[in-house]
Amino acid sequence: MWIEPNERKVERIQFLNENGKLIGSMPEVSDEELVSLYKWMVLARVFDQRALKLQRQGRIGTYAPLSGQEAAQIGSASALAPQDWIYPSYREGAACFVHGFPMKNFFLYTMGHLSGSDAEGAHVFPVQIIIAAQCLHAVGGAWASKYKKENSVSVAYLGDGGTSEGDFHEAMNFAGVYQLPMVFFVQNNQWAISVPVGKQTSSKTIVQKALAYGMAGVQVDGNDVLAVYMTMKQALDRARKGEPVLIEAVTYRQGPHTTADDPTKYRDGSDVETWLAKDPLKRIKLFLFEKGIWNEALEEQEYAKAEHTVSEAFEQAVNTPKSNVKELFDLVYEQKSSQLAEQQQSLASEEVWK
Amino acid sequence: MWIEPNERKVERIQFLNENGKLIGSMPEVSDEELVSLYKWMVLARVFDQRALKLQRQGRIGTYAPLSGQEAAQIGSASALAPQDWIYPSYREGAACFVHGFPMKNFFLYTMGHLSGSDAEGAHVFPVQIIIAAQCLHAVGGAWASKYKKENSVSVAYLGDGGTSEGDFHEAMNFAGVYQLPMVFFVQNNQWAISVPVGKQTSSKTIVQKALAYGMAGVQVDGNDVLAVYMTMKQALDRARKGEPVLIEAVTYRQGPHTTADDPTKYRDGSDVETWLAKDPLKRIKLFLFEKGIWNEALEEQEYAKAEHTVSEAFEQAVNTPKSNVKELFDLVYEQKSSQLAEQQQSLASEEVWK
Amino acid sequence: MTLLTMIEAINLTLKKEMERDERIILLGEDIGKNGGVFRATDGLQAAFGPERVVDTPIAESAIVGAAVGMAARGLRPVAEIQFFGFIYEAMDQMASQAARLRFRSGGRLSAPMVIRAPFGGGVKTPELHSDSLEGLFLHSPGLKVVMPSSPYDAKGLLTAAIRENDPVLFLEPMKLYRAFKQEVPEHDYLIELGKANVVKQGEDLTIITWGPTVPLVRQVAEQWEQQNISIEVVDLRTISPIDEDTVLESAKKTGRVIIVHEAVKTGGPGAEISALINEKALFYLSAPILRVTGFDTPYPVPSVEDDWLPNAQRISQSIQEVLAH
Amino acid sequence: MTLLTMIEAINLTLKKEMERDERIILLGEDIGKNGGVFRATDGLQAAFGPERVVDTPIAESAIVGAAVGMAARGLRPVAEIQFFGFIYEAMDQMASQAARLRFRSGGRLSAPMVIRAPFGGGVKTPELHSDSLEGLFLHSPGLKVVMPSSPYDAKGLLTAAIRENDPVLFLEPMKLYRAFKQEVPEHDYLIELGKANVVKQGEDLTIITWGPTVPLVRQVAEQWEQQNISIEVVDLRTISPIDEDTVLESAKKTGRVIIVHEAVKTGGPGAEISALINEKALFYLSAPILRVTGFDTPYPVPSVEDDWLPNAQRISQSIQEVLAH
Ligand SMILES: Cc1ncc(C[n+]2csc(CCOP(=O)(O)OP(=O)(O)O)c2C)c(N)n1
Ligand SMILES: Cc1ncc(C[n+]2csc(CCOP(=O)(O)OP(=O)(O)O)c2C)c(N)n1
Ligand SMILES: [Mg+2]
Ligand SMILES: [Mg+2]
């Protein structure tokens, strides 16, 4: 009669194995969709490597690499409708790009520029630094959508570590109680900085946490873009009907936590090796080759194009006029108080004094 | 492959039905234990009714009645070893008394007296007003016990509503990760002030929340003192071995939330009627009568004794010298700052000025 | 015009605003059928339905966080925190989320929302129900912090708060909920946020206060009037932003200032007001600025709270001290 | 004697104290194998084992709340909050639990614990990593709030904090972690909590500051020395409680006071210090008390933070203003 620890066995959804072989039958997905998924992944990978390099050169600030998580991010974001909203954390650049967030502004974000969170109309909330806080904003967004009948699903992106925060719990519970059009998309990349997921929670899977909230959940191979894409579609369908869903995408953070982190302090090279073999790009690429809709020429061309796109975005970022401290005072309230006006003013006089 | 909402069916542990008939076989429990459980329940009921009356007479302040929850509280607390600790909320008077907390001081608590949380050496933490905050203190207590090998289980008492707070989640997760000697004892009394448990969470039971933390859990009829007592014993055994447990005791708050609350605003009389029929005292009393170890004479005697005990405790409380504002300044730090000393001093001078 | 208590004025305001603007949603613990533990939302769920007056689970961070999310997507949530002492649970969502959304998004998003909470002492609540923590939010840029001291002000300020395009923390003195009635117009009127109210003119000394202590301070000021001491009483109404002009003008006029609040003294709002006057009107001062406040201890148990709170005696003692200069 | 950076001094102190007292347990995010994101706990898990240096899940309320529970049962937890901006998540456990356990229990229980957190700006962190929120805790009775400004002080203050029988918030200026080395004795020494340090004597003007801005203020003071202006620099070391004696003595001596802190101005710790001086030393003042602080906006993005933080230029401008009186 007791509930025993981890009694629920969980099966992981997978369509493509590590070598790009289809498991089971082919899902309903067009060649264009497949190729588009892969192109986005290439762009994400190129962006990530460039960002890392730029950080090492001191041209951008702290950056949280996403290599290894392209399938999870691109697969999920590609399934969104335009009216849906993303509530990202700091590692979701790729998902945000797919949903329309300008790469230029992401670079500006890493450069500590005030325009760094300008989505330019895309339905992407500003990057959230406070772990799991975005889950509640997504709840509020989904709630607004339900109230206004916007047919918009709110997707909260978070990591395995994020599930330990109280805000995750409160958000899941609210989503369940109000039956909100929401997806909690957890990228379980095995690590929260230096803490492996096995020490983050005693729950064997993240997805079983759905059981605490009377919510549906599904675990998917987060390195299999096809599985993620198809599963996210299902999840969005349910969410649109007011059935919130928790998705656990099992993936891996190939790089450091951020450019300020040294993962050799806490994890084995062998762990990394194992997971590099499961690289998300490799898998879909092999599948596309096998399917005959991709080849080396296209591959080369796509990488070149991606390099160009990234270069252009970075150039634009670099050429954006620098932020000025005086702008800050206009961003605190719709109308600034006399105190803020005076402080803003003091900066002007300070220059005179200088 | 999906986890479906509320897919886990939960069976509730029950030993005695509403009419005091044994279901299944008799557990290993002595007549003395049975009688002792009942005597405590009588005392709790008498205390509760007196407290309510005293509040209506203006002799004590706000009070949170416990009638209906005697079996849950007495059954669970009676299973504790002396070295175990209780971390109560505001409605756990009965559990605290069983574990040695002086009734006199509970009265002082309701009178807003500074000694209101003096456990006089009993292993009972001060009443916690912030919903679910005590769960984390219990985590810390269990952790200390494990570290110091004290063989002491920490029991966090909370309500159904308390499971919605982030602190509950974080505490459950910590207990799971560190495999702490802990029991989370949730009295699901169906209501959190005016909110029925069905609107508190979309999870069909509270106990299934254990699944989110890789933790064991069990649901018990919280109006069946025998079931609670035996189940708590099992839970304490597991907890003592470092397997934390979540218990959901299904019970009912027969009275108002507190003496400041008017439940007729939000709940039907019929709801109350249904549950009064399941009264926890009635059930065990019938069982004891049937078993021939209790009778009307003993019953009368026990109520008289309880009345006397409660009267005496209240008398003692009333005769305790009143708290004085000047005492406060010595309770903030081990050694008071010059600021606090000055403020304390100012009260003396104020009297002169008066 | 009707005679209303403060709680009735708040209830009326919520009703009026909800009729006017259907983007307004109320959320909080026990605000639905129960009408709130103080009945601030009494009858509103019946009038507007459970979609617009929503009982929430017990999760303050979620209440505020969800409101931020709603507000960013075009609603105008009015959230209730059942007692202000519980605001600690929502501190991140208050101070780093609601307060900073406009800033973080470079001005592209905003969080037009109100967080209402009963606060202040003197009504013998259990622990952590009576704490005056407004000072924490004075120190959290991006929020406005408003507290009425009368039924009339409650309506005008709450109407303005609801129509504000930035998050407003609206603190309602429990002690005044039913303390007295006042004429409160049915029709729309706004009291501008950030403007103090000189509730009594005076020449000899200024007392600055807000919310629960305004009636007390008025009463003390009137007593001193009989001894020919003329005290100006400034009801700050909004502590973030502080109405510098009114504060400085009064300080310059009288040269003697006392600040009265229930929050603990050290690091409290009184400190800011004192520092402000020091900075900008030092040479007008004839006496030190004194603070009559809660003592530097946690809010105490009910049996001693009346001795802990600022009272007439302590205020008068400070007046005497200040006048002695 | 060894030359150590502040982070090394902190690491050494933790090690020494853990050797001395096995009731001490460290807990926090990434403090184990990783040794903390700044390496404050580097090597300690290897030395003392995973039972005494514990990586926690990401849950700040639980970190502080569990520490309260441990402390009440006889341990001496030293918890780390990875960056001070995340403290909002633990606000209830800080201000209404850790701070009030002694009070709530009528003095029968206590929470001897330290909460360490890196804080302060100037190192180009992402949002909410650099906020100076010490003012919130100055306004929370029951806590002590300590911040070192040098490696030597870090060791003496942290040792004292760990041995204290009340909860101490110990704030470590990130900017100073590796800014300079100093001789730090290996042996035990304590710097009493609640006592300020006059790091430079002066006659004409007092600057009161703490933590990250101490070196900056010293440097500015030395520059003015060359113009024959003698500035006294008071490093407060502990802002709760504030060392009134030292502050008032210096203010009375120089009659001119400036307060420098990174926290936003309004409602910040500078306000309390100004109010205190006003209250007890008004007639010694020759000039208004000025505050050079973070502006009243959220802590900004890295590209403008240096212009937002108090800097030599703004301090000097205020010095000039104050001297003009
Ligand atoms: C409230 C809060 N606590 C701690 C941190 C510091 N921190 C930043 S990222 C991180 C790890 C997050 O791990 P996870 O959720 O698994 O996401 P991942 O980084 O793996 O994408 C931590 C602890 C933070 N930003 N916010
Ligand atoms: C953090 C916090 N939020 C809200 C409250 C107000 N409050 C007191 S009791 C209560 C209901 C609790 O319900 P439950 O946990 O089911 O316990 P019960 O009262 O039924 O025993 C609420 C909302 C509080 N004390 N603390
Ligand atoms: Mg992770
Ligand atoms: Mg309940």
Side-chain angles (χ1 to χ4, degrees), chain B residues 149-220:
Chain B
K149 304 195 173 43
E150 291 176 338
N151 192 30
S152 157
V153 177
S154 291
V155 184
Y157 280 85
L158 71 154
D160 42 305
T163 64
S164 295
E165 288 279 8
D167 276 358
F168 168 73
H169 172 72
E170 299 189 6
M172 289 282 286
N173 195 45
F174 268 48
V177 167
Y178 302 117
Q179 293 288 290
L180 298 177
M182 257 204 86
V183 176
F184 292 84
F185 192 88
V186 177
Q187 291 174 75
N188 175 357
N189 65 4
Q190 312 304 318
W191 294 90
I193 309 187
S194 73
V195 176
V197 65
K199 289 189 171 173
Q200 190 68 237
T201 178
S202 165
S203 145
K204 269 256 160 24
T205 66
I206 297 293
V207 70
Q208 75 197 57
K209 292 178 186 286
L211 289 161
Y213 309 96
M215 195 186 286
V218 60
Q219 191 191 60
V220 59

Side-chain angles (χ1 to χ4, degrees), chain A residues 101-297:
Chain A
F101 189 91
M103 191 181 285
K104 170 194 73 172
N105 293 349
F106 202 97
F107 274 125
L108 286 172
Y109 181 81
T110 64
M111 296 158 85
H113 193 286
L114 277 169
S115 303
S117 51
D118 188 358
E120 297 185 8
H123 286 175
V124 176
F125 225 63
V127 162
Q128 182 57 249
I129 288 298
I130 296 300
I131 302 290
Q134 74 276 19
C135 298
L136 291 169
H137 307 153
V139 160
W143 198 330
S145 162
K146 185 173 177 173
Y147 184 79
K148 300 200 282 175
K149 303 194 173 46
E150 290 176 339
N151 193 29
S152 158
V153 177
S154 291
V155 184
Y157 279 86
L158 70 154
D160 43 304
T163 64
S164 296
E165 287 278 9
D167 276 359
F168 168 73
H169 172 73
E170 298 190 5
M172 290 281 286
N173 194 45
F174 268 48
V177 167
Y178 302 115
Q179 293 287 293
L180 298 177
M182 260 205 84
V183 175
F184 292 84
F185 192 87
V186 176
Q187 292 173 75
N188 175 358
N189 65 2
Q190 312 304 318
W191 293 91
I193 310 186
S194 72
V195 176
V197 63
K199 288 187 172 176
Q200 190 67 236
T201 177
S202 165
S203 147
K204 269 257 160 19
T205 67
I206 298 291
V207 69
Q208 76 197 55
K209 292 180 186 286
L211 289 161
Y213 309 95
M215 196 185 284
V218 61
Q219 192 191 58
V220 61
D221 183 335
N223 284 8
D224 174 353
V225 72
L226 194 50
V228 174
Y229 181 60
M230 298 311 294
T231 305
M232 185 69 172
K233 283 192 162 190
Q234 282 184 291
L236 289 166
D237 283 348
R238 290 180 81 141
R240 239 175 270 287
K241 285 183 286 182
E243 256 192 77
V245 176
L246 171 65
I247 297 187
E248 175 185 7
V250 180
T251 179
Y252 193 74
R253 191 194 82 209
Q254 294 178 354
H257 169 67
T258 67
T259 47
D261 174 52
D262 172 14
T264 63
K265 280 281 285 183
Y266 54 78
R267 75 180 179 185
D268 286 347
S270 66
D271 190 46
V272 184
E273 288 308 315
T274 316
W275 278 91
L276 282 179
K278 305 186 195 180
D279 185 78
L281 271 75
K282 177 186 135 197
R283 193 178 307 199
I284 176 78
K285 177 179 157 189
L286 287 173
F287 179 69
L288 296 184
F289 265 76
E290 179 86 13
K291 221 174 163 353
I293 55 177
W294 199 251
N295 57 41
E296 280 304 342

Side-chain angles (χ1 to χ4, degrees), chain C residues 54-237:
Chain C
V54 189
D55 278 323
T56 66
I58 307 177
E60 289 74 18
S61 185
I63 292 170
V64 178
V68 171
M70 286 181 181
R73 296 275 295 275
L75 300 186
R76 316 278 300 191
V78 178
E80 178 178 302
I81 296 296
Q82 199 163 71
F83 289 89
F84 192 38
F86 313 154
I87 199 76
Y88 285 130
E89 300 282 12
M91 201 67 196
D92 177 69
Q93 290 292 341
M94 292 291 298
S96 57
Q97 307 300 335
R100 301 189 193 199
L101 185 60
R102 182 184 292 280
F103 190 81
R104 169 177 303 135
S105 68
R108 284 162 204 94
L109 297 171
S110 60
M113 57 191 273
V114 176
I115 300 100
R116 296 178 39 247
F119 89 120
V123 300
K124 305 233 180 295
T125 63
E127 201 192 359
L128 279 159
H129 286 61
S130 299
D131 294 56
S132 289
L133 306 174
E134 63 268 29
L136 306 181
F137 301 94
L138 170 63
H139 194 46
S140 303
L143 297 174
K144 300 198 168 183
V145 184
V146 179
M147 44 273 286
S149 66
S150 71
Y152 179 89
D153 281 15
K155 181 157 185 278
L157 291 168
L158 183 54
T159 304
I162 290 174
R163 299 190 191 175
E164 181 77 20
N165 288 326
D166 286 301
V168 178
L169 177 61
F170 190 83
L171 298 174
E172 306 166 0
M174 273 185 261
K175 192 196 280 180
L176 304 184
Y177 267 154
R178 297 184 168 82
F180 58 95
K181 295 197 174 209
Q182 204 178 27
E183 300 255 308
V184 178
E186 274 270 330
H187 70 256
D188 244 27
Y189 64 95
L190 279 78
I191 298 177
E192 195 186 338
L193 306 187
K195 293 277 171 267
N197 184 22
V198 180
V199 293
K200 181 180 168 304
Q201 303 274 349
E203 301 300 324
D204 301 324
L205 185 153
T206 299
I207 304 185
I208 299 169
T209 190
W210 53 86
T213 41
V214 172
L216 169 68
V217 168
R218 272 178 101 146
Q219 191 189 315
V220 171
E222 269 142 33
Q223 280 164 12
W224 280 86
E225 201 81 31
Q226 291 157 18
Q227 297 173 248
N228 280 326
I229 303 294
S230 157
I231 298 178
E232 180 144 309
V233 179
V234 178
D235 175 355
L236 219 44
R237 276 181 174 160

Side-chain angles (χ1 to χ4, degrees), chain B residues 91 200 293 332:
Chain B
R91 202 188 298 288
Q200 190 68 237
I293 55 176
V332 189

Side-chain angles (χ1 to χ4, degrees), chain A residues 1 9 69 90 175 285 296 338:
Chain A
M1 293 212 232
K9 299 298 163 239
Q69 303 181 210
Y90 44 83
K285 177 179 157 189
E296 280 304 342
S338 65

